[in-house]
Amino acid sequence: MKHTRLLLTTLASLALSAFAQDAGVATIELKPDSKNPLGYDKTELSVKAGQKVKLTLNNTGSIAPQPHNFLLLKPGKLDAVGAQANAMLADPQGMAKNYIPEAAKADIVVNTKLVQPNQSETIEFTAPAEAGDYPFMCTFPGHWMLMRGVMHVTN
């Protein structure tokens, strides 16, 4: 009986520990907006600084199916990376590069690859340690002007 109680207590402790870890993960799903296929369905996201994030770009349900990606950028870098994304339209290797500008790598916190219609990709990362407003965007040609938002990182 004593061993059974100890075993049950240990199992309960492990289960609570696993639940506490899962509760600390911000789970986010983004997809094309049902009314505006060149926009995300969410334009504002909120996470805690240093929090684990599990983000799924679910490219389904659009009235105008086309590829999309997700790039989380350093604060203040939206326009610069957007201009570099526009320039990739002339790059014959743009699709192979997932329309992610090489020159912008230092400004990208995390990104998905280019996700084709009716597919999804999940990325897991740790939110930036520094609080602030981190822009996010899709860099498929012409999309970034509308398909963008802000991830608010708070303490």
Side-chain angles (χ1 to χ4, degrees):
M1 186 70 164
K2 192 174 190 181
H3 293 289
T4 303
R5 190 174 312 140
L6 179 61
L7 179 62
L8 289 174
T9 302
T10 302
L11 288 173
S13 176
L14 289 171
L16 285 173
S17 175
F19 177 75
Q21 287 176 348
D22 287 345
V25 175
T27 303
I28 300 168
E29 180 185 32
L30 272 181
K31 53 188 171 183
D33 186 69
S34 60
K35 296 177 183 87
N36 173 14
L38 291 183
Y40 293 114
D41 65 334
K42 297 174 188 82
T43 57
E44 293 197 44
L45 308 172
S46 294
V47 299
K48 299 271 187 206
Q51 183 176 23
K52 297 288 184 198
V53 179
K54 182 177 180 181
L55 183 137
T56 300
L57 178 56
N58 186 355
N59 193 5
T60 60
S62 178
I63 56 173
Q66 49 197 298
H68 298 295
N69 61 16
F70 168 89
L71 280 72
L72 181 64
L73 309 173
K74 292 179 179 175
K77 297 298 182 179
L78 181 76
D79 291 334
V81 175
Q84 293 168 359
N86 285 348
M88 288 196 76
L89 188 57
D91 184 347
Q93 295 299 312
M95 184 70 91
K97 296 175 182 175
N98 292 295
Y99 286 103
I100 298 171
E102 187 67 36
K105 295 284 186 183
D107 297 328
I108 300 170
V109 176
V110 67
N111 63 271
T112 66
K113 66 180 193 296
L114 202 56
V115 179
Q116 297 301 316
N118 300 312
Q119 294 184 5
S120 66
E121 181 181 2
T122 300
I123 56 174
E124 295 184 31
F125 61 98
T126 301
E130 188 174 325
D133 291 334
Y134 292 75
F136 62 87
M137 66 191 313
C138 172
T139 56
F140 191 76
H143 289 197
W144 79 274
M145 294 298 291
L146 297 173
M147 198 165 211
R148 62 192 196 179
V150 176
M151 178 179 282
H152 303 286
V153 177
T154 60
N155 288 323

